[in-house]
């Protein structure tokens, strides 16, 4: 699509994001509800949501706060969950690095999974011409607004929900919904099995350090299986090398 | 945690996350992702999410293990729905619905 102005590109970015909102709203609602339900004030929840702007990291932090985890463990866990943003940043950099800081910094703060996924193909194809950052801003700003507003709605709903509804169970359920599509290969399946198992076995470790250890064990398992399978695939390739065309 | 240390934690998370997001956009051409880190990142979601889910289902409230814990079958059904639907809302409804149903029966 050819844009005649930045405004047009921005609004097309907003329209592109809209189909993603049905997945965002329940997640935001549950985040707001669980925060209030575990005794956080609406002001603190709003501050947390603005400062984090990362749903799964915020949910993980809420679960760890509920277990009275050590602050450093919470910080470490959140940063590990958010490490993927480094990848997005690297992938977006060729399209955004030339902009002035008044663009770069707010756009970086609003970088999310959804805005990245919906923009990167259009940005790399070059079809957006000089309006690429307007399109990205459209997806990023509308994602940011959907998230903040749905968490706030959850905060107001949460105040009226009794504790007997066991709504704390919503946290692992959301993680489960995110976990299942993350298992795409035997290596990621191995990472999940070992991560989960070690976390269960290490439940009595102080300050929830078991979570950090379990995550590292899972990641190493994934890398190990990938390495082993890669070596096996190379061997198979060597065996059939004569039949293959390069 | 006191209010002050809570806000300190949130601020540290905010600054750290902003630094991760800004990293390459700001330092384009001066920074490269190590190959090993790039490969390791692929296993972060599966590993961290499983480490968050499993203990929360098996030890609700950090307590003892109990076979009669209704959260285990509820999570199993939710996992099945997550796998079939790939939808957060459906997964939530299936898991919470099963938990409430079992709690009403027990």
């Amino acid at each position: 699509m050819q844009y005649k102005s930045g405004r047009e590109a921005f609004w097309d970015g907003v329209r592109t994001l809209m189909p993603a909102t049905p997945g965002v709203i329940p997640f935001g609602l549950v985040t707001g509800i669980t925060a209030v339900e575990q005794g956080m004030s609406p002001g603190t929840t709003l501050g947390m949501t603005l400062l984090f702007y990362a749903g799964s990291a915020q949910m993980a932090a809420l679960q760890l706060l509920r277990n009275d985890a050590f602050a450093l463990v919470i910080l470490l866990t959140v940063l590990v969950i958010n490490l993927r943003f480094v990848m997005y940043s690297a992938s977006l950099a060729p399209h955004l690095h030339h902009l002035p800081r008044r663009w770069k910094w707010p756009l970086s703060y609003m970088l999310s999974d959804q805005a990245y996924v919906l923009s990167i193909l259009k940005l790399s194809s070059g079809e957006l011409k000089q309006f690429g950052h307007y399109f990205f801003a459209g997806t990023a700003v509308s994602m940011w607004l959907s998230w903040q507003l749905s968490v706030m709605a959850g905060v107001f709903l949460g105040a009226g929900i009794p504790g007997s509804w066991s709504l704390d169970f919503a946290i692992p359920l959301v993680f489960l919904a995110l976990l299942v599509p993350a298992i795409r290969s035997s290596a990621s399946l191995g990472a999940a099995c070992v991560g989960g198992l070690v976390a269960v076995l290490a439940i009595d470790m102080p300050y929830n350090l078991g979570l950090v250890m379990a995550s590292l064990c899972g990641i190493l398992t994934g890398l190990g299986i990938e390495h082993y399978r890669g070596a096996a695939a190379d061997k198979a390739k060597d065996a059939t090398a004569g039949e293959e065309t390069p | 945690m006191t209010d002050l240390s809570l806000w300190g934690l949130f601020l540290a998370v905010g600054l750290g996350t902003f630094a991760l997001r800004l990293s390459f956009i700001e330092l384009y051409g001066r920074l490269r992702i190590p190959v090993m880190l790039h490969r390791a990142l692929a296993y972060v979601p599966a590993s961290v999410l499983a480490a968050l889910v499993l203990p929360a289902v098996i030890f609700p409230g950090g307590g003892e293990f109990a076979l009669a814990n209704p959260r285990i079958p509820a999570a199993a059904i939710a996992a099945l729905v997550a796998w079939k639907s790939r939808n957060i809302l459906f997964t939530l409804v299936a898991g919470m619905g099963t938990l409430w149903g079992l709690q009403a029966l027990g």
Side-chain angles (χ1 to χ4, degrees):
Chain A
M1 186 167 176
Q2 291 287 350
Y3 300 115
K4 287 186 238 23
S5 67
R7 180 193 294 261
E8 208 183 331
F10 179 87
W11 284 108
D12 197 38
V14 173
R15 272 191 298 276
T16 306
L17 194 276
M18 285 304 121
T21 49
V24 174
I25 293 168
F27 194 178
L29 285 174
V30 168
T31 306
I33 291 170
T34 39
V36 171
E37 199 233 356
Q38 70 185 62
M40 206 174 264
S41 75
T44 312
T45 311
L46 177 65
M48 186 189 194
T49 313
L50 286 170
L51 284 167
F52 274 58
Y53 186 45
S56 39
Q58 188 169 355
M59 281 290 231
L62 285 172
Q63 181 172 321
L64 289 170
L65 282 170
R66 180 188 290 269
N67 299 349
D68 286 322
F70 195 44
L72 204 61
V73 169
I74 303 182
L75 179 62
L76 207 64
T77 306
V78 164
L79 293 182
V80 168
I81 294 176
N82 285 345
L83 262 180
R84 66 186 190 285
F85 290 129
V86 175
M87 263 191 329
Y88 301 162
S89 183
S91 152
L92 288 168
H95 312 289
L96 302 178
H97 77 100
H98 62 278
L99 297 169
R101 288 224 163 99
R102 68 190 154 82
W103 270 93
K104 264 196 295 199
W105 286 36
L107 284 185
S108 295
Y109 162 66
M110 283 187 282
L111 172 53
S112 58
D113 300 280
Q114 290 81 354
Y116 169 75
V117 168
L118 293 171
S119 303
I120 190 61
L121 287 175
K122 285 196 166 212
L123 283 170
S124 10
S125 75
E127 65 186 283
L128 299 171
K129 303 264 167 33
Q130 72 270 40
F131 299 120
H133 54 286
Y134 285 96
F135 180 89
F136 178 69
T139 61
V141 170
S142 47
M143 178 60 203
W144 185 83
L145 269 178
S146 323
W147 177 252
Q148 302 296 336
L149 292 177
S150 49
V151 175
M152 284 320 285
V155 165
F156 291 112
L157 280 175
I161 293 179
S164 61
W165 284 20
S166 318
L167 268 187
D168 58 300
F169 191 52
I171 302 184
L173 287 177
V174 168
F175 289 143
L176 200 59
L178 299 172
L179 168 65
V180 171
I183 298 174
R184 278 179 298 228
S185 63
S186 54
S188 49
L189 179 64
C193 291
V194 170
L197 199 68
V198 173
V200 167
L201 294 175
I203 190 77
D204 289 328
M205 265 175 91
Y207 312 124
N208 272 73
L209 276 170
L211 173 65
V212 176
M213 196 179 72
S215 307
L216 288 176
C217 290
I219 292 165
L220 288 175
T221 308
L223 285 173
I225 298 175
E226 181 192 305
H227 181 79
Y228 176 77
R229 289 187 55 103
D234 283 347
K235 244 185 210 163
K237 215 185 256 171
D238 285 346
T240 57
E243 304 153 27
E244 266 177 54
T245 48
Chain B
M1 213 177 277
T2 65
D3 262 9
L4 193 67
S5 48
L6 203 59
W7 280 98
L9 170 67
F10 295 168
L11 204 63
V13 165
L15 287 174
T17 307
F18 179 64
L20 294 176
R21 286 173 161 141
L22 185 66
S23 57
F24 280 85
I25 293 173
E26 186 68 39
L27 299 171
Y28 182 66
R30 279 179 282 168
L31 206 65
R32 302 186 90 175
I33 301 189
V35 179
M36 204 55 180
L37 179 64
H38 190 262
R39 285 175 45 199
L41 283 175
Y43 302 108
V44 169
S47 170
V48 175
L49 291 172
L52 283 165
V53 170
L54 222 57
V57 171
I58 293 181
F59 309 109
E64 310 261 289
F65 174 76
L67 254 184
N69 170 9
R71 294 184 181 218
I72 296 174
I77 288 174
L80 195 71
V81 171
W83 182 48
K84 288 288 175 203
S85 73
R86 311 259 149 157
N87 181 309
I88 292 185
L89 187 60
F90 294 166
T91 309
L92 269 170
V93 170
M96 292 308 304
T98 312
L99 181 66
W100 290 337
L102 290 170
Q103 278 172 345
L105 288 173

